[in-house]
Amino acid sequence: MSVQSDAEKRKQISVRGIAQVENVANVKKSFNRHLHYTLVKDRNVSTVRDYFFALAHTVKDHLVSRWIRTQQYYYEKDPKRVYYLSLEFYMGRTLTNTTVNLGIQSACDEAMYQLGLDIEELEEMEEDAGLGNGGLGRLAACFLDSMATLGLAAYGYGIRYEYGIFAQRIRNGEQLEEPDDWLRFGNPWEKARPEFTLPVNFYGHVEDTPEGKKWVNTQVVFALPYDNPIPGYKNNVVNTMRLWSAKSPQDFDLRFFNDGDYIQAVLDRNLAENISRVLYPNDNFFEGKELRLKQEYFMVAATLQDIVRRFKSSKFGSREAVRTSLDSFPEKVAIQLNDTHPSLAIPELMRILVDIEGLTWEKAWDITTRTCAYTNHTVLPEALERWPVSMLNSILPRHLQIIYEINHRHLQCVAKAFPGDSDRLRRMSMVEEEGEKRVNMAYLAIVGSHAVNGVAQIHSDILKRDLFHDFYEMNPEKFQNKTNGITPRRWLLLCNSALADVIAERIGEDWISHLDQLTQLKALAEDPVFQRSVQTVKQENKMKVAQYLQKEYNVNVNPASLFDIQVKRIHEYKRQLMNALHIITLYNRIKANPRASIVPRTIMIGGKAAPGYHMAKKIIKLICSVGQVINSDPIVGDKLKVIYLENYRVTLAEKIIPAADLSEQISTAGTEASGTGNMKFMLNGALTIGTLDGANVEMAEEMGMDNIFIFGMKENEVEDLKKRGYNAFDYYNANAELKQVIDQIASGFFSPNNPEEFRDIYNNLMYHDRFFCLADYDDYMAAQERVNEAYKDQSVWMKMCIHNIASSGKFSSDRTIAEYAREIWGVEPTWDKLPAPHEPIEEGK
Ligand SMILES: *Cc1c(COP(=O)(O)O)cnc(C)c1O
């Protein structure tokens, strides 16, 4: 089978649309103008990167009028504003996303072709905006796309990290981290807004004055905003993501000026500007570093000033009657906290309302709780933010006082609701007294919010039953579920346009913004012609990935083999180790019986380990070492290949996921809050092997148990096992294959030069595995056998694939955002289409 040439592809009528001659001419003209005037180059000396920037500026020009118009429209209409506060926005690349959402992709493709340029080569020059670690940050990015597509007056607020998530290199099977200097060549999409710079205070102390508390003698850092355009899908809406950059004030550390050490004073400006220097690379882990606390407060303080300023200068807020009162603030503002990372928004809003605006505590508290809502993303205890009281006292003394006051009043409510229950008071206090005194930020976020949500049904149930049970008993009406979703624009239309075409041929293009329309494909699940076209697309995607692997890793993979993929952050709870146990078992079976016929597999694992996470780094090393043994064993040949995918990130996800046959979603039941990788695979026609955890549960409900390979302990069974006591040796001694695998890891079979290399992994698996890999091993192996059986009959497999795609409508982030809008934010999605830039704005619109 041959991969289509680009020229052939261009001629096809597809979801990219037909390039209009006029648009193509305009793109070429604008591109040449930018190459000349913006980049100051001619075609003789231009690099591919210059061409990328010229195209990016051309495309950005198409955003500008829509962006200004959208913001004007919000000012005129003054709808309730939604603020999504997040320490992470994992955006990836912007170029293709913008051309897709503006509907100018085909015009740009054609224009570049006519100029003799390879658009895919240009696209490859763009750096990922890697301002996130994994699922939580990517969720924020998908939400921005959906909020713009649904026509919500929404803003993303975060930090413009100078260095995003590190680039991962694998050398000798080990992870090396390289700083991600993503702004090196400039960022064509952002617009600095120095005129909206705001001060943020740290340290100092609190004085009691007749006019109330005063936070004085603080150190100031300026927050300089950069605006980034967020286009909706073909609706002429362009929202704003505003990211703050730390800037030292002019008078930074005057002491040195007095001492005459001018040079030192200038050098020390870096200290303040370090706040927005680098993203903390932890996923699902709380490190408790001072600089991180400063980042969180920096973002929150700048953002809340901006929100209050926008409220006061709005048509509504500036009316005489409301200028002096902020009573209507909650009717005009909704603030969503993406995990507890921005939860200082609660005491900060209280400080603004009480200390600055002079409201009573009761009034301020009513406004704050009606404005804020909190999304929880994990139940893992090591991930929950608990800031030492001593650190808060030094950096944010006034906020600590406010938190104490919030806690005091909260505990009075608890005592009233549950008289005489002193243990409950201890359990529900935001201030933990055991050991070093700490503030539990999740408790603060719950008490200060009118809505608390988990991110999949099972996760929301666990919050109510376990982690936040006491709080649930007191305020059951606060607790909600909002199952996560992904944007179908990036995760199908953009990354897999061939599949999008095959779908559009049968059911049109409505699904792009109404993903439930995909259910129409159920009628085609057994249609041999449709099966064939979906299969052909998958095969071509696999060949492209095979070429990529050949080029990048010099490995030869069999494109007819089953592509079995686990890509996500490396974490013990995600159980990449259990995947490794399966791989080693397959290897041992081939070696024991080389002539047996098996379903050939190419197994890919990818993901970054937090730089300080020892066990995660060992897991990477083990997978690489196992891969080396297997890939170089002539007995194995084409039957099994194991590849570690280096530097997994949004852009690599877009390349790899469309080529997957099998998606590995194998976390211990009860540990993965939702997962969103699982949804991306499903939408792209991969089958899932997974536990009943996170959103896998709802995926299985949508597609039916016949179309997914579910295995392993249920969440209640995991709880039972914990109570019973888990002994890994019970499983080790009961299964000869498993015993062999574990013994090989322990004895250095995969690390002959260092037999002790995987001692820690052995000890972990056998003595302190919190995630019970061995308990699920048997059932996992059996499920993998069912996968093989299904794959052998391609008509069975393709029917299942189509059922997966057809059932994925629920997992659009458009659905998720519509639920947040109606059930938490109190706004109605309009799905409005604004007039195009050349059209007049209608009166009264
Ligand atoms: C979607 C995504 C994730 C989240 O994957 P999970 O399997 O849900 O953990 C992480 N990283 C990247 C780059 C993603 O695109």
Side-chain angles (χ1 to χ4, degrees):
M1 208 176 300
S2 81
V3 177
Q4 259 186 332
S5 78
D6 285 349
E8 277 173 280
K9 255 186 271 171
R10 276 189 319 102
K11 285 193 197 109
Q12 278 186 348
I13 297 172
S14 72
V15 288
R16 296 182 183 209
I18 307 165
Q20 315 255 259
V21 178
E22 191 190 309
N23 291 346
V24 174
N26 281 337
V27 169
K28 282 162 67 180
K29 202 169 133 192
S30 172
F31 175 92
N32 285 324
R33 188 169 48 79
H34 276 298
L35 196 61
H36 186 83
Y37 288 102
T38 309
L39 295 155
V40 198
K41 288 275 182 96
D42 66 47
R43 288 286 301 256
N44 298 316
V45 293
S46 295
T47 63
V48 179
R49 181 170 290 107
D50 294 323
Y51 294 135
F52 159 70
F53 276 100
L55 182 56
H57 281 108
T58 299
V59 169
K60 194 198 172 177
D61 290 346
H62 286 254
L63 286 166
V64 170
S65 300
R66 291 174 172 89
W67 200 1
I68 293 172
R69 282 266 194 108
T70 302
Q71 303 309 313
Q72 262 174 3
Y73 174 72
Y74 292 157
Y75 181 82
E76 291 301 327
K77 201 176 159 222
D78 201 21
K80 184 170 183 178
R81 310 302 209 281
V82 172
Y83 295 100
Y84 198 80
L85 271 58
S86 180
L87 268 286
E88 303 185 18
F89 287 94
Y90 204 170
M91 304 297 283
R93 288 177 178 158
T94 296
L95 177 61
T96 312
N97 185 247
T98 307
T99 63
V100 163
N101 280 16
L102 293 183
I104 58 170
Q105 192 182 21
S106 58
C108 293
D109 288 1
E110 181 63 27
M112 292 306 103
Y113 177 77
Q114 290 182 13
L115 292 169
L117 299 172
D118 177 351
I119 186 133
E120 286 181 22
E121 198 188 359
L122 266 60
E123 287 165 355
E124 286 302 311
M125 298 313 297
E126 183 171 5
E127 301 274 347
D128 272 38
L131 310 184
N133 277 286
L136 175 148
R138 184 54 233 176
L139 184 78
C142 285
F143 279 5
L144 294 182
D145 183 86
S146 286
M147 290 189 292
T149 296
L150 270 61
L152 303 186
Y155 303 76
Y157 271 92
I159 294 177
R160 179 181 180 271
Y161 300 107
E162 197 175 321
Y163 292 85
I165 187 66
F166 63 85
Q168 178 194 55
R169 299 277 162 257
I170 304 289
R171 290 290 171 268
N172 306 317
E174 285 172 23
Q175 169 175 297
L176 299 179
E177 298 97 22
E178 281 176 10
D180 167 41
D181 193 4
W182 71 294
L183 295 167
R184 186 171 56 237
F185 298 104
N187 176 357
W189 308 109
E190 68 184 7
K191 178 75 187 85
R193 297 281 182 209
E195 68 276 26
F196 296 130
T197 296
L198 294 167
V200 176
N201 295 283
F202 296 96
Y203 301 104
H205 63 268
V206 182
E207 277 176 4
D208 254 317
T209 75
E211 297 88 56
K213 306 275 187 186
K214 285 228 153 61
W215 184 18
V216 296
N217 261 327
T218 55
Q219 293 180 26
V220 178
V221 178
F222 283 126
L224 168 60
Y226 285 77
D227 286 349
N228 298 262
I230 308 292
Y233 182 69
K234 291 186 180 172
N235 63 356
N236 298 314
V237 169
V238 180
N239 284 346
T240 301
M241 174 177 70
R242 178 163 280 186
L243 301 180
W244 301 102
S245 179
K247 191 87 185 123
S248 177
Q250 285 307 322
D251 61 354
F252 184 78
D253 222 334
L254 270 172
R255 283 172 299 138
F256 287 108
F257 282 88
N258 297 338
D259 294 348
D261 197 346
Y262 158 76
I263 296 292
Q264 194 58 48
V266 175
L267 295 180
D268 283 356
R269 294 173 64 85
N270 275 323
L271 267 44
E273 292 172 4
N274 277 340
I275 288 176
S276 57
R277 195 77 69 207
V278 56
L279 168 76
Y280 274 91
N282 299 317
D283 187 65
N284 275 301
F285 184 74
F286 173 61
E287 206 179 39
K289 286 279 195 290
E290 220 172 87
L291 181 60
R292 168 69 179 201
L293 179 63
K294 287 182 183 166
Q295 289 184 339
E296 294 183 354
Y297 181 64
F298 172 75
M299 194 279 275
V300 157
T303 300
L304 278 173
Q305 288 178 74
D306 220 31
I307 292 173
V308 172
R309 176 196 55 74
R310 190 174 291 113
F311 171 78
K312 288 187 170 181
S313 65
S314 72
K315 277 195 155 175
F316 182 86
S318 59
R319 286 211 314 256
E320 199 57 44
V322 287
R323 197 200 315 263
T324 47
S325 97
L326 288 136
D327 284 20
S328 57
F329 194 77
E331 277 89 69
K332 287 292 177 185
V333 174
I335 295 177
Q336 191 66 36
L337 308 175
N338 196 21
D339 211 310
T340 58
H341 312 152
S343 60
L344 286 167
I346 290 162
E348 174 67 2
L349 185 51
M350 286 300 289
R351 191 185 68 83
I352 293 171
L353 296 177
V354 174
D355 293 0
I356 301 175
E357 300 291 338
L359 269 55
T360 64
W361 182 278
E362 289 72 17
K363 186 81 240 170
W365 185 244
D366 178 64
I367 291 172
T368 299
T369 53
R370 289 199 293 137
T371 301
C372 296
Y374 156 56
T375 304
N376 172 278
H377 285 272
T378 180
V379 299
L380 294 182
E382 64 269 34
L384 303 178
E385 291 192 300
R386 294 154 60 249
W387 289 107
V389 163
S390 58
M391 204 185 281
L392 288 167
N393 190 44
S394 125
I395 297 173
L396 301 168
R398 179 58 185 139
H399 296 79
L400 181 61
Q401 287 182 344
I402 291 170
I403 291 168
Y404 273 133
E405 182 64 24
I406 293 172
N407 193 40
H408 175 71
R409 290 169 184 249
H410 153 66
L411 291 178
Q412 282 183 329
C413 293
V414 176
K416 212 165 140 196
F418 302 92
D421 194 343
S422 64
D423 195 60
R424 187 181 292 264
L425 283 177
R426 182 192 56 74
R427 292 198 309 266
M428 292 183 74
S429 174
M430 287 166 212
V431 184
E432 302 175 351
E433 309 278 350
E434 309 85 70
E436 180 173 26
K437 260 187 151 189
R438 289 167 180 272
V439 175
N440 184 317
M441 302 306 278
Y443 293 178
L444 172 64
I446 294 169
V447 173
S449 297
H450 67 280
V452 177
N453 74 281
V455 290
Q457 191 60 57
I458 183 179
H459 168 58
S460 298
D461 291 342
I462 292 171
L463 292 184
K464 292 196 278 189
R465 200 193 59 216
D466 297 336
L467 196 60
F468 301 146
H469 180 69
D470 290 327
F471 293 85
Y472 171 66
E473 282 193 324
M474 208 162 109
N475 296 104
E477 74 289 349
K478 271 193 192 180
F479 287 78
Q480 299 195 19
N481 173 246
K482 295 287 168 280
T483 300
N484 280 168
I486 56 170
T487 169
R489 273 71 67 184
R490 184 176 293 263
W491 296 113
L492 178 50
L493 189 53
L494 181 159
C495 73
N496 199 349
S497 61
L499 181 58
D501 278 345
V502 161
I503 293 168
E505 227 167 71
R506 297 303 190 106
I507 65 167
E509 296 184 15
D510 240 26
W511 58 269
I512 298 170
S513 47
H514 297 90
L515 200 64
D516 3 355
Q517 292 295 318
L518 291 179
T519 49
Q520 292 178 62
L521 298 174
K522 280 190 183 148
L524 301 173
E526 290 177 78
D527 176 335
V529 179
F530 188 65
Q531 282 194 356
R532 181 71 64 84
S533 44
V534 173
Q535 187 180 31
T536 303
V537 167
K538 182 63 77 180
Q539 200 52 45
E540 287 178 357
N541 292 340
K542 289 170 70 174
M543 305 229 283
K544 275 193 219 157
V545 164
Q547 283 169 16
Y548 173 85
L549 296 175
Q550 183 68 254
K551 182 164 150 269
E552 296 290 315
Y553 306 106
N554 198 28
V555 285
N556 202 352
V557 311
N558 171 9
S561 64
L562 188 162
F563 279 20
D564 168 345
I565 306 185
Q566 185 177 24
V567 281
K568 48 181 76 248
R569 288 297 291 254
I570 308 298
H571 212 298
E572 288 160 88
Y573 84 82
K574 291 174 184 282
R575 295 203 292 194
Q576 282 93 356
L577 261 182
M578 199 172 70
N579 192 339
L581 300 181
H582 171 244
I583 295 171
I584 299 169
T585 308
L586 287 186
Y587 174 65
N588 290 338
R589 284 182 186 172
I590 294 169
K591 296 291 276 187
N593 198 352
R595 298 165 66 154
S597 127
I598 66 161
V599 174
R601 286 200 190 212
T602 300
I603 303 181
M604 295 171 236
I605 300 180
K608 292 172 186 176
Y613 190 170
H614 172 72
M615 193 53 60
K617 289 187 149 180
K618 282 288 178 192
I619 292 169
I620 293 176
K621 180 99 201 234
L622 176 68
I623 294 161
C624 292
S625 305
V626 168
Q628 197 150 51
V629 169
I630 292 176
N631 298 347
S632 61
D633 190 329
I635 302 285
V636 176
D638 247 12
K639 290 177 183 161
L640 182 60
K641 282 275 184 294
V642 178
I643 293 158
Y644 200 90
L645 296 169
E646 193 175 69
N647 202 25
Y648 180 62
R649 62 198 186 285
V650 172
T651 292
L652 189 56
E654 291 166 9
K655 291 189 211 297
I656 294 294
I657 291 171
D661 293 308
L662 187 65
S663 160
E664 299 266 355
Q665 307 299 338
I666 58 177
S667 54
T668 312
T671 65
E672 185 78 274
S674 163
T676 49
N678 46 5
M679 302 167 187
K680 299 168 196 167
F681 282 98
M682 181 185 180
L683 182 58
N684 283 277
L687 304 191
T688 297
I689 183 165
T691 48
L692 282 178
D693 197 19
N696 298 354
V697 177
E698 289 156 78
M699 286 164 49
E701 272 169 26
E702 293 295 304
M703 70 178 96
M705 290 294 272
D706 290 350
N707 293 300
I708 185 167
F709 304 98
I710 294 292
F711 71 93
M713 292 178 285
K714 321 272 178 285
E715 192 246 330
N716 64 304
E717 294 169 336
V718 173
E719 290 305 313
D720 290 348
L721 178 60
K722 279 185 203 167
K723 285 192 199 115
R724 254 194 349 263
Y726 169 68
N727 183 355
F729 283 90
D730 296 347
Y731 307 92
Y732 170 91
N733 289 316
N735 184 323
E737 277 190 309
L738 174 59
K739 180 171 185 303
Q740 184 189 2
V741 170
I742 300 282
D743 291 348
Q744 286 168 317
I745 293 171
S747 69
F749 183 90
F750 299 105
S751 54
N753 294 326
N754 179 9
E756 289 297 299
E757 179 79 68
F758 301 120
R759 176 65 47 199
D760 294 342
I761 288 191
Y762 170 82
N763 286 335
N764 183 281
L765 283 173
M766 299 310 299
Y767 296 103
H768 30 86
D769 178 5
R770 296 166 57 207
F771 302 103
F772 316 119
C773 286
L774 270 54
D776 272 343
Y777 170 86
D778 268 347
D779 210 22
Y780 182 45
M781 294 299 299
Q784 291 286 16
E785 212 38 65
R786 286 187 273 135
V787 170
N788 290 334
E789 288 310 309
Y791 195 74
K792 280 184 201 162
D793 186 341
Q794 278 293 301
S795 74
V796 168
W797 188 270
M798 290 319 302
K799 181 181 159 201
M800 292 175 76
C801 283
I802 294 167
H803 266 286
N804 268 259
I805 299 167
S807 310
S808 58
K810 174 174 178 184
F811 305 104
S812 169
S813 47
D814 298 345
R815 186 271 313 152
T816 312
I817 287 299
E819 290 179 7
Y820 276 93
R822 294 184 175 124
E823 296 162 23
I824 298 181
W825 302 332
V827 297
E828 188 59 28
T830 62
W831 241 278
D832 264 0
K833 209 169 142 62
L834 294 187
H838 60 274
E839 295 164 1
I841 297 176
E842 292 166 46
E843 272 307 310
K845 257 230 129 178

